[in-house]
Amino acid sequence: MLRSALLAASRSPQVRTMVEKFPPTHAIVERFVAGDRLDQGVAATEKLVASGRKVTLDHLGEDTKDADQAAGTALAYEHLLAALKETGLAADAEVSVKLSAVGQFLPVDGEKIALENARRICEAAADAGTTVTLDMEDHTTTDSTLAIARELRADFPWLGVVLQAYLRRTEADCRDLAHEGSRVRICKGAYKEPESVAFQGKRDVDLAYVRALKILMAGEGYPMVASHDPNMIKIAGQLAEWNKRDVSSFEYQMLYGIRPEEQLRLAEAGNTMRVYLPYGQEWYGYFMRRLAERPANLTFFLRAMATRG
C-alpha cells in the first residue's frame, strides 16, 4: 500500500509542489541525483570513474508535452555526449534515455518523433565513442520501445535495452534478446502494474528475476544485472560462473547513492560495476520512485523532515 501511495504521489502535481517547496528536500535529493546541471553530472561521473566504477547518465525529463520539448531533450543529450567526449570520460560513461522524454507519448507521430530524436542521440554517442541504453517505463510502452530499439539496432547494434522482470512477458523477451552483441539490462521494475501483466508479490518477482537471469547468462548477449538485492547479485555471479562467462561479458548496475560500499566491493573484485547517474531539473518523479522502491530511503527522507528545525 505504501509503495502504491508513493507511486501515485509521483504523478500528483499537488504533492510535487509540496515536496519541492520543502526546504531540506534538495539536500536529500542530492543523495540520489547528481544535480540540476550538466557540469554537475559530469563532475559526479569523474568521481565515480576515478573510483573504478563506470556510469550511465540519465538526463531527467519525463513529462514531455510537445515536439519542441522532445527535441530539446535530445539536444541536452547531444551536449552531454559532447562533454563526455571532451573530458575523455566516454570510454567509461554511456547514457540512458527514456523514450517518453524524447516524444514517445505525444499524441501525433509520437513514435516517429521519439525514433528520430533517439537516432540523434545514438549518432552523438557513436561520435563520442560510447553507447546508449533505452530505459523501459510502464508496460504500455514495452512493445513501442522494443520496436524502436529494433529499428535503431540496424544502425547501432550496441544499443542497450531494459527489461523488467516483474512483467509476465519478460522471459519471452529475454529469449528474443539473448543473442550475440545484444546488451540487455534486467531490473525488477519500478512502476505500479496490474496483476494481469505483472507479478505482484516479492517472492514471485524475485523468482521471475532469477528466471530472466538464467536466460540472459546462458545466452550470447551482454547481460546488465541491475539490482541492489544481495541474493540477486550472488545468484548472478554463480550463473556467470556456471556459464563460464568472463567478467568482461556482463556487468552489475546500481543506482547512484544506493549501496555505494557494495558498488566499490564489486568493482574492486574485478567486475564491471556501472552506476545509474541521473541529473537535471525534472528530478521529482525519479526521486519518488526511489522512495517507493526501498523503505530505507523513505525513512531517510522522513527523518530529515522530522529534524528540519
Side-chain angles (χ1 to χ4, degrees):
M1 291 179 63
L2 178 59
R3 180 172 182 269
S4 297
L6 286 167
L7 290 175
S10 73
R11 299 185 292 272
S12 168
Q14 293 79 14
V15 177
R16 174 174 180 159
T17 299
M18 181 181 69
V19 171
E20 289 182 338
K21 289 184 176 180
F22 173 55
T25 293
H26 284 271
I28 300 164
V29 169
E30 286 175 2
R31 175 176 174 177
F32 307 110
V33 179
D36 292 345
R37 305 187 312 271
L38 170 60
D39 63 317
Q40 292 173 310
V42 172
T45 300
E46 287 178 327
K47 291 180 181 178
L48 290 166
V49 169
S51 73
R53 288 170 283 184
K54 295 186 183 294
V55 177
T56 183
L57 288 120
D58 175 14
H59 173 77
L60 297 172
E62 300 172 48
D63 298 324
T64 301
K65 302 295 192 300
D66 55 50
D68 287 342
Q69 188 179 2
T73 298
L75 181 61
Y77 272 103
E78 290 175 325
H79 289 162
L80 166 59
L81 287 157
L84 295 178
K85 179 181 180 180
E86 182 180 347
T87 56
L89 292 168
D92 296 300
E94 63 138 39
V95 299
S96 287
V97 178
K98 287 181 173 59
L99 290 176
S100 65
V102 292
Q104 187 180 33
F105 290 167
L106 296 179
V108 179
D109 292 332
E111 285 194 18
K112 180 175 180 290
I113 291 168
L115 173 61
E116 291 171 352
N117 285 323
R119 186 177 295 280
R120 284 175 52 190
I121 296 168
C122 287
E123 288 170 349
D127 178 70
T130 189
T131 55
V132 178
T133 297
L134 296 183
D135 278 332
M136 196 65 75
E137 299 179 72
D138 70 70
H139 78 278
T140 64
T141 69
T142 304
D143 283 330
S144 170
T145 299
L146 292 179
I148 290 172
R150 281 193 296 272
E151 188 149 354
L152 289 170
R153 278 183 164 187
D155 296 315
F156 310 101
W158 41 254
L159 179 76
V161 296
V162 178
L163 296 176
Q164 300 174 103
Y166 68 171
L167 294 182
R168 298 179 186 275
R169 62 175 287 168
T170 295
E171 284 181 71
D173 289 331
C174 284
R175 292 188 186 94
D176 289 342
L177 291 167
H179 54 79
E180 185 176 358
S182 178
R183 298 169 59 247
V184 179
R185 178 194 300 156
I186 183 68
C187 65
K188 288 186 179 179
Y191 296 84
K192 179 62 177 174
E193 300 284 15
E195 187 173 1
S196 58
V197 300
F199 299 106
Q200 302 295 307
K202 181 182 183 305
R203 174 175 167 76
D204 288 337
V205 174
D206 285 352
L207 290 172
Y209 193 92
V210 173
R211 291 194 298 270
L213 272 179
K214 286 180 176 179
I215 295 167
L216 294 173
M217 287 292 188
E220 299 192 8
Y222 183 84
M224 298 182 283
V225 183
S227 179
H228 308 100
D229 185 331
N231 290 328
M232 296 303 137
I233 293 167
K234 182 178 179 180
I235 290 169
Q238 291 174 336
L239 289 170
E241 184 177 347
W242 293 344
N243 286 284
K244 296 180 171 55
R245 278 186 170 270
D246 185 84
V247 290
S248 65
S249 70
F250 72 101
E251 67 183 49
Y252 296 98
Q253 295 191 355
M254 293 188 188
L255 299 171
Y256 180 65
I258 299 181
R259 300 198 73 199
E261 296 85 3
E262 177 66 2
Q263 294 177 15
L264 289 169
R265 185 193 72 80
L266 287 166
E268 289 167 0
N271 299 287
T272 300
M273 173 67 245
R274 192 177 301 275
V275 179
Y276 188 99
L277 180 68
Y279 76 96
Q281 296 181 349
E282 296 296 321
W283 51 262
Y284 174 74
Y286 177 87
F287 175 62
M288 294 301 288
R289 285 196 296 277
R290 299 296 76 79
L291 296 184
E293 282 176 351
R294 297 184 72 234
N297 295 341
L298 180 60
T299 301
F300 179 75
F301 182 59
L302 294 176
R303 187 182 300 122
M305 290 183 70
T307 59
R308 63 187 182 277

PDB file of all heavy atoms in Angstrom, residues 2 5 7 12 22 57 66 74 83 90 96 99 112 135 191 203 211 225 271 283 291 302 306:
ATOM      1  N   LEU A   2       1.937   1.254   0.808  1.00  0.00           N
ATOM      2  CA  LEU A   2       2.823   2.409   0.874  1.00  0.00           C
ATOM      3  C   LEU A   2       3.464   2.665  -0.480  1.00  0.00           C
ATOM      4  O   LEU A   2       3.537   3.806  -0.952  1.00  0.00           O
ATOM      5  CB  LEU A   2       3.888   2.183   1.942  1.00  0.00           C
ATOM      6  CG  LEU A   2       4.939   3.287   2.100  1.00  0.00           C
ATOM      7  CD1 LEU A   2       4.270   4.610   2.455  1.00  0.00           C
ATOM      8  CD2 LEU A   2       5.957   2.893   3.159  1.00  0.00           C
ATOM      9  N   ALA A   5       1.014   4.217  -2.798  1.00  0.00           N
ATOM     10  CA  ALA A   5       0.765   5.620  -2.461  1.00  0.00           C
ATOM     11  C   ALA A   5       1.891   6.514  -2.961  1.00  0.00           C
ATOM     12  O   ALA A   5       1.656   7.611  -3.486  1.00  0.00           O
ATOM     13  CB  ALA A   5       0.600   5.765  -0.953  1.00  0.00           C
ATOM     14  N   LEU A   7       3.975   5.873  -5.465  1.00  0.00           N
ATOM     15  CA  LEU A   7       3.949   5.924  -6.927  1.00  0.00           C
ATOM     16  C   LEU A   7       2.842   6.851  -7.414  1.00  0.00           C
ATOM     17  O   LEU A   7       3.010   7.577  -8.404  1.00  0.00           O
ATOM     18  CB  LEU A   7       3.769   4.515  -7.497  1.00  0.00           C
ATOM     19  CG  LEU A   7       4.977   3.585  -7.327  1.00  0.00           C
ATOM     20  CD1 LEU A   7       4.643   2.186  -7.807  1.00  0.00           C
ATOM     21  CD2 LEU A   7       6.194   4.120  -8.064  1.00  0.00           C
ATOM     22  N   SER A  12       1.390  13.272  -8.825  1.00  0.00           N
ATOM     23  CA  SER A  12       0.498  14.294  -8.287  1.00  0.00           C
ATOM     24  C   SER A  12       1.144  15.673  -8.316  1.00  0.00           C
ATOM     25  O   SER A  12       2.151  15.892  -7.631  1.00  0.00           O
ATOM     26  CB  SER A  12       0.113  13.943  -6.846  1.00  0.00           C
ATOM     27  OG  SER A  12      -0.526  15.040  -6.216  1.00  0.00           O
ATOM     28  N   PHE A  22       9.591  22.071   0.161  1.00  0.00           N
ATOM     29  CA  PHE A  22      10.078  21.688   1.484  1.00  0.00           C
ATOM     30  C   PHE A  22      11.580  21.958   1.543  1.00  0.00           C
ATOM     31  O   PHE A  22      12.349  21.399   0.756  1.00  0.00           O
ATOM     32  CB  PHE A  22       9.765  20.211   1.715  1.00  0.00           C
ATOM     33  CG  PHE A  22      10.353  19.625   2.962  1.00  0.00           C
ATOM     34  CD1 PHE A  22      10.109  20.206   4.196  1.00  0.00           C
ATOM     35  CD2 PHE A  22      11.140  18.497   2.902  1.00  0.00           C
ATOM     36  CE1 PHE A  22      10.654  19.673   5.346  1.00  0.00           C
ATOM     37  CE2 PHE A  22      11.699  17.954   4.049  1.00  0.00           C
ATOM     38  CZ  PHE A  22      11.447  18.553   5.279  1.00  0.00           C
ATOM     39  N   LEU A  57      24.473   7.810 -17.637  1.00  0.00           N
ATOM     40  CA  LEU A  57      23.848   9.070 -17.238  1.00  0.00           C
ATOM     41  C   LEU A  57      22.440   9.205 -17.803  1.00  0.00           C
ATOM     42  O   LEU A  57      22.194   8.907 -18.974  1.00  0.00           O
ATOM     43  CB  LEU A  57      24.686  10.256 -17.699  1.00  0.00           C
ATOM     44  CG  LEU A  57      25.995  10.479 -16.954  1.00  0.00           C
ATOM     45  CD1 LEU A  57      27.166  10.388 -17.904  1.00  0.00           C
ATOM     46  CD2 LEU A  57      25.993  11.820 -16.241  1.00  0.00           C
ATOM     47  N   ASP A  66       5.433  18.486 -25.859  1.00  0.00           N
ATOM     48  CA  ASP A  66       5.357  18.817 -27.284  1.00  0.00           C
ATOM     49  C   ASP A  66       6.660  18.453 -27.986  1.00  0.00           C
ATOM     50  O   ASP A  66       7.655  18.099 -27.350  1.00  0.00           O
ATOM     51  CB  ASP A  66       5.026  20.296 -27.491  1.00  0.00           C
ATOM     52  CG  ASP A  66       5.993  21.231 -26.781  1.00  0.00           C
ATOM     53  OD1 ASP A  66       7.223  21.044 -26.946  1.00  0.00           O
ATOM     54  OD2 ASP A  66       5.537  22.140 -26.062  1.00  0.00           O
ATOM     55  N   ALA A  74      16.639  15.857 -26.609  1.00  0.00           N
ATOM     56  CA  ALA A  74      17.653  15.235 -27.469  1.00  0.00           C
ATOM     57  C   ALA A  74      18.891  16.115 -27.554  1.00  0.00           C
ATOM     58  O   ALA A  74      20.028  15.614 -27.510  1.00  0.00           O
ATOM     59  CB  ALA A  74      17.072  14.978 -28.856  1.00  0.00           C
ATOM     60  N   ALA A  83      30.266  16.550 -24.014  1.00  0.00           N
ATOM     61  CA  ALA A  83      31.057  16.789 -22.805  1.00  0.00           C
ATOM     62  C   ALA A  83      31.819  15.534 -22.396  1.00  0.00           C
ATOM     63  O   ALA A  83      32.976  15.606 -21.969  1.00  0.00           O
ATOM     64  CB  ALA A  83      30.150  17.262 -21.674  1.00  0.00           C
ATOM     65  N   ALA A  90      34.108   9.249 -22.098  1.00  0.00           N
ATOM     66  CA  ALA A  90      33.205   8.422 -22.903  1.00  0.00           C
ATOM     67  C   ALA A  90      33.553   6.940 -22.860  1.00  0.00           C
ATOM     68  O   ALA A  90      32.673   6.092 -23.031  1.00  0.00           O
ATOM     69  CB  ALA A  90      33.191   8.915 -24.351  1.00  0.00           C
ATOM     70  N   SER A  96      21.606   6.773 -20.617  1.00  0.00           N
ATOM     71  CA  SER A  96      20.320   6.077 -20.607  1.00  0.00           C
ATOM     72  C   SER A  96      19.229   7.070 -21.004  1.00  0.00           C
ATOM     73  O   SER A  96      19.224   8.211 -20.521  1.00  0.00           O
ATOM     74  CB  SER A  96      20.023   5.514 -19.209  1.00  0.00           C
ATOM     75  OG  SER A  96      20.836   4.401 -18.920  1.00  0.00           O
ATOM     76  N   LEU A  99      12.339   7.023 -23.717  1.00  0.00           N
ATOM     77  CA  LEU A  99      11.735   7.475 -24.968  1.00  0.00           C
ATOM     78  C   LEU A  99      10.587   8.443 -24.742  1.00  0.00           C
ATOM     79  O   LEU A  99      10.293   9.280 -25.601  1.00  0.00           O
ATOM     80  CB  LEU A  99      11.266   6.270 -25.784  1.00  0.00           C
ATOM     81  CG  LEU A  99      12.390   5.413 -26.375  1.00  0.00           C
ATOM     82  CD1 LEU A  99      11.813   4.184 -27.074  1.00  0.00           C
ATOM     83  CD2 LEU A  99      13.258   6.213 -27.334  1.00  0.00           C
ATOM     84  N   LYS A 112       7.309   8.205 -34.086  1.00  0.00           N
ATOM     85  CA  LYS A 112       8.191   8.701 -35.144  1.00  0.00           C
ATOM     86  C   LYS A 112       9.134   9.769 -34.588  1.00  0.00           C
ATOM     87  O   LYS A 112      10.346   9.761 -34.860  1.00  0.00           O
ATOM     88  CB  LYS A 112       7.359   9.272 -36.290  1.00  0.00           C
ATOM     89  CG  LYS A 112       8.162   9.827 -37.458  1.00  0.00           C
ATOM     90  CD  LYS A 112       7.216  10.237 -38.580  1.00  0.00           C
ATOM     91  CE  LYS A 112       7.976  10.808 -39.772  1.00  0.00           C
ATOM     92  NZ  LYS A 112       8.562  12.129 -39.462  1.00  0.00           N
ATOM     93  N   ASP A 135      15.816   3.127 -21.637  1.00  0.00           N
ATOM     94  CA  ASP A 135      15.099   2.758 -20.423  1.00  0.00           C
ATOM     95  C   ASP A 135      13.711   2.238 -20.777  1.00  0.00           C
ATOM     96  O   ASP A 135      13.156   2.566 -21.829  1.00  0.00           O
ATOM     97  CB  ASP A 135      14.956   3.966 -19.502  1.00  0.00           C
ATOM     98  CG  ASP A 135      16.195   4.219 -18.664  1.00  0.00           C
ATOM     99  OD1 ASP A 135      16.919   3.249 -18.383  1.00  0.00           O
ATOM    100  OD2 ASP A 135      16.440   5.377 -18.281  1.00  0.00           O
ATOM    101  N   TYR A 191       7.372   0.393 -11.551  1.00  0.00           N
ATOM    102  CA  TYR A 191       6.068   1.014 -11.785  1.00  0.00           C
ATOM    103  C   TYR A 191       4.966   0.140 -11.190  1.00  0.00           C
ATOM    104  O   TYR A 191       5.119  -1.069 -11.040  1.00  0.00           O
ATOM    105  CB  TYR A 191       5.831   1.228 -13.284  1.00  0.00           C
ATOM    106  CG  TYR A 191       6.803   2.206 -13.902  1.00  0.00           C
ATOM    107  CD1 TYR A 191       8.058   1.790 -14.335  1.00  0.00           C
ATOM    108  CD2 TYR A 191       6.480   3.542 -14.040  1.00  0.00           C
ATOM    109  CE1 TYR A 191       8.966   2.677 -14.883  1.00  0.00           C
ATOM    110  CE2 TYR A 191       7.379   4.452 -14.590  1.00  0.00           C
ATOM    111  CZ  TYR A 191       8.620   4.007 -15.009  1.00  0.00           C
ATOM    112  OH  TYR A 191       9.523   4.892 -15.551  1.00  0.00           O
ATOM    113  N   ARG A 203       8.283 -12.502  -3.595  1.00  0.00           N
ATOM    114  CA  ARG A 203       8.834 -13.810  -3.938  1.00  0.00           C
ATOM    115  C   ARG A 203       8.637 -14.108  -5.427  1.00  0.00           C
ATOM    116  O   ARG A 203       9.559 -14.588  -6.105  1.00  0.00           O
ATOM    117  CB  ARG A 203       8.177 -14.905  -3.093  1.00  0.00           C
ATOM    118  CG  ARG A 203       8.603 -16.315  -3.485  1.00  0.00           C
ATOM    119  CD  ARG A 203       8.020 -17.371  -2.555  1.00  0.00           C
ATOM    120  NE  ARG A 203       8.175 -18.719  -3.084  1.00  0.00           N
ATOM    121  CZ  ARG A 203       9.314 -19.401  -3.079  1.00  0.00           C
ATOM    122  NH1 ARG A 203      10.395 -18.856  -2.564  1.00  0.00           N
ATOM    123  NH2 ARG A 203       9.376 -20.621  -3.602  1.00  0.00           N
ATOM    124  N   ARG A 211      14.747 -16.300 -13.191  1.00  0.00           N
ATOM    125  CA  ARG A 211      14.485 -16.965 -14.477  1.00  0.00           C
ATOM    126  C   ARG A 211      15.029 -16.136 -15.639  1.00  0.00           C
ATOM    127  O   ARG A 211      15.629 -16.671 -16.584  1.00  0.00           O
ATOM    128  CB  ARG A 211      12.981 -17.217 -14.654  1.00  0.00           C
ATOM    129  CG  ARG A 211      12.422 -18.264 -13.699  1.00  0.00           C
ATOM    130  CD  ARG A 211      11.037 -18.711 -14.130  1.00  0.00           C
ATOM    131  NE  ARG A 211      10.048 -17.635 -14.133  1.00  0.00           N
ATOM    132  CZ  ARG A 211       9.289 -17.300 -13.101  1.00  0.00           C
ATOM    133  NH1 ARG A 211       9.419 -17.946 -11.946  1.00  0.00           N
ATOM    134  NH2 ARG A 211       8.408 -16.322 -13.193  1.00  0.00           N
ATOM    135  N   VAL A 225      23.161  -6.582 -15.037  1.00  0.00           N
ATOM    136  CA  VAL A 225      22.405  -7.034 -13.870  1.00  0.00           C
ATOM    137  C   VAL A 225      22.115  -5.834 -12.977  1.00  0.00           C
ATOM    138  O   VAL A 225      22.960  -5.410 -12.179  1.00  0.00           O
ATOM    139  CB  VAL A 225      23.189  -8.111 -13.098  1.00  0.00           C
ATOM    140  CG1 VAL A 225      22.364  -8.641 -11.925  1.00  0.00           C
ATOM    141  CG2 VAL A 225      23.606  -9.239 -14.032  1.00  0.00           C
ATOM    142  N   ASN A 271      34.957  -6.841 -11.224  1.00  0.00           N
ATOM    143  CA  ASN A 271      33.734  -6.808 -12.024  1.00  0.00           C
ATOM    144  C   ASN A 271      33.519  -5.428 -12.637  1.00  0.00           C
ATOM    145  O   ASN A 271      34.019  -4.419 -12.135  1.00  0.00           O
ATOM    146  CB  ASN A 271      32.521  -7.119 -11.131  1.00  0.00           C
ATOM    147  CG  ASN A 271      32.598  -8.477 -10.495  1.00  0.00           C
ATOM    148  OD1 ASN A 271      32.420  -9.499 -11.158  1.00  0.00           O
ATOM    149  ND2 ASN A 271      32.878  -8.503  -9.192  1.00  0.00           N
ATOM    150  N   TRP A 283      13.636  16.178 -11.452  1.00  0.00           N
ATOM    151  CA  TRP A 283      14.051  15.076 -10.586  1.00  0.00           C
ATOM    152  C   TRP A 283      12.905  14.486  -9.775  1.00  0.00           C
ATOM    153  O   TRP A 283      13.057  13.417  -9.183  1.00  0.00           O
ATOM    154  CB  TRP A 283      15.135  15.554  -9.616  1.00  0.00           C
ATOM    155  CG  TRP A 283      14.785  16.804  -8.863  1.00  0.00           C
ATOM    156  CD1 TRP A 283      15.163  18.077  -9.169  1.00  0.00           C
ATOM    157  CD2 TRP A 283      13.960  16.906  -7.691  1.00  0.00           C
ATOM    158  NE1 TRP A 283      14.635  18.971  -8.265  1.00  0.00           N
ATOM    159  CE2 TRP A 283      13.896  18.267  -7.345  1.00  0.00           C
ATOM    160  CE3 TRP A 283      13.272  15.981  -6.906  1.00  0.00           C
ATOM    161  CZ2 TRP A 283      13.160  18.726  -6.242  1.00  0.00           C
ATOM    162  CZ3 TRP A 283      12.546  16.435  -5.813  1.00  0.00           C
ATOM    163  CH2 TRP A 283      12.497  17.787  -5.491  1.00  0.00           C
ATOM    164  N   LEU A 291      11.986   6.444  -3.421  1.00  0.00           N
ATOM    165  CA  LEU A 291      11.377   6.281  -2.102  1.00  0.00           C
ATOM    166  C   LEU A 291      10.457   5.064  -2.092  1.00  0.00           C
ATOM    167  O   LEU A 291      10.402   4.321  -1.111  1.00  0.00           O
ATOM    168  CB  LEU A 291      10.586   7.530  -1.713  1.00  0.00           C
ATOM    169  CG  LEU A 291      11.359   8.837  -1.525  1.00  0.00           C
ATOM    170  CD1 LEU A 291      10.424   9.930  -1.047  1.00  0.00           C
ATOM    171  CD2 LEU A 291      12.521   8.662  -0.567  1.00  0.00           C
ATOM    172  N   LEU A 302      11.911  10.904   5.779  1.00  0.00           N
ATOM    173  CA  LEU A 302      11.036  11.302   6.882  1.00  0.00           C
ATOM    174  C   LEU A 302      11.844  11.769   8.095  1.00  0.00           C
ATOM    175  O   LEU A 302      11.426  12.680   8.801  1.00  0.00           O
ATOM    176  CB  LEU A 302      10.123  10.132   7.266  1.00  0.00           C
ATOM    177  CG  LEU A 302       9.099   9.712   6.206  1.00  0.00           C
ATOM    178  CD1 LEU A 302       8.321   8.488   6.654  1.00  0.00           C
ATOM    179  CD2 LEU A 302       8.150  10.861   5.903  1.00  0.00           C
ATOM    180  N   ALA A 306      11.483  15.357   9.979  1.00  0.00           N
ATOM    181  CA  ALA A 306      11.212  15.476  11.423  1.00  0.00           C
ATOM    182  C   ALA A 306      12.240  16.359  12.104  1.00  0.00           C
ATOM    183  O   ALA A 306      11.947  16.955  13.155  1.00  0.00           O
ATOM    184  CB  ALA A 306      11.195  14.088  12.059  1.00  0.00           C
TER     185      ALA A 306
END
